[in-house]
């Protein structure tokens, strides 16, 4: 006799994986009434940050400031995601963009996500996924950071920064 086939249940591809263990240890929770808002115990970096400017400094000390650079950094308690455009030239495509225009837009767009850890004044990120396959070979890499209220400064001195130079992102908290 044939053994019955095992029933396999599959999640749709877009469903997030189920967590088996909480990331943070559970704490006893008090019962809340409708009038009491739920208070989050989020860390100081957690939230959504918008880039207000980027300063690229070369080895000889020459700096270029890019204002209005579109970009977001998002931090949860353990994960981060970032998307940004490297230049201040981010005009819409013409109705029929050339291959060169498409390539320039693609090359100037950065997208990656993964995990991060904070120690003292350093954020170390470990890229899990990136638009640029070579970015994963640069992992992990670190930013120096300064946090003042809703303003965050991230300084990158290795990995994707100019040789012996730096890239400094100034960000403001959106939420």
């Amino acid at each position: 006799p044939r053994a019955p086939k095992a029933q396999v249940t599959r999640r749709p591809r877009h469903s997030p994986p189920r967590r088996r263990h909480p990331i943070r240890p559970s704490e006893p929770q008090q019962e809340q009434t409708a009038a009491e808002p739920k208070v989050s115990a989020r860390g100081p970096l957690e939230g959504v940050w918008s880039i207000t400017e980027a300063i690229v400094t070369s080895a000889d000390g020459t700096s270029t400031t890019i204002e209005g650079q579109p970009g977001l950094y998002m931090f949860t308690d353990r994960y981060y995601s970032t998307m940004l455009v490297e230049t201040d030239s981010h005009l819409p495509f013409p109705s029929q963009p050339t291959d060169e225009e498409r390539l320039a837009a693609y090359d100037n767009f950065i997208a990656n996500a993964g995990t991060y850890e904070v120690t003292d004044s350093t954020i170390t990120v470990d890229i899990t996924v990136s638009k640029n396959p070579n970015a994963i070979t640069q992992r992990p890499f670190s930013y120096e950071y300064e946090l003042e209220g809703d303003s965050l400064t991230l300084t990158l001195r290795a990995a994707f920064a100019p040789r012996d130079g730096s890239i400094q992102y100034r960000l403001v908290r959106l939420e």
Side-chain angles (χ1 to χ4, degrees):
R2 296 173 74 181
K5 285 187 174 181
Q7 185 89 19
V8 176
T9 306
R10 298 187 192 272
R11 287 190 327 267
R13 295 186 124 226
H14 63 277
S15 295
R18 293 183 199 150
R19 284 192 185 166
R20 293 189 178 166
H21 305 287
I23 291 175
R24 292 184 177 166
S26 359
E27 297 176 7
Q29 296 192 358
Q30 297 177 346
E31 196 171 309
Q32 293 181 341
T33 64
E36 295 177 28
K38 185 175 181 180
V39 178
S40 170
R42 70 186 218 179
L45 286 177
E46 289 181 50
V48 180
W49 300 84
S50 176
I51 298 173
T52 58
E53 70 178 4
I55 303 167
V56 180
T57 305
S58 64
D60 68 4
T62 306
S63 292
T64 303
T65 300
I66 303 168
E67 293 181 2
Q69 178 185 31
L72 293 175
Y73 275 77
M74 291 176 260
F75 293 96
T76 66
D77 60 340
R78 184 173 166 209
Y79 295 92
Y80 84 96
S81 176
T82 185
M83 291 190 193
L84 61 105
V85 176
E86 285 188 293
T87 68
D88 57 356
S89 174
H90 46 83
L91 301 173
F93 282 135
S95 61
Q96 296 293 318
T98 65
D99 288 344
E100 291 80 18
E101 290 168 324
R102 286 187 183 114
L103 183 59
Y106 182 82
D107 282 348
N108 287 312
F109 180 72
I110 295 173
N112 61 68
T115 59
Y116 76 99
E117 290 183 15
V118 177
T119 54
D120 300 323
S121 61
T122 303
I123 300 171
T124 301
V125 299
D126 191 4
I127 298 173
T128 304
V129 62
S130 178
K131 180 209 83 164
N132 176 355
N134 292 336
I136 294 176
T137 66
Q138 300 289 328
R139 56 188 265 216
F141 65 91
S142 298
Y143 295 94
E144 296 167 19
Y145 83 97
E146 290 180 38
L147 180 62
E148 244 182 74
D150 286 341
S151 295
L152 175 63
T153 302
L154 299 175
T155 303
L156 185 59
R157 297 195 189 279
F160 306 106
R163 180 183 298 272
D164 298 324
S166 66
I167 302 174
Q168 184 177 77
Y169 297 107
R170 295 196 177 146
L171 304 98
V172 64
R173 184 188 301 272
L174 297 179
E175 67 174 54

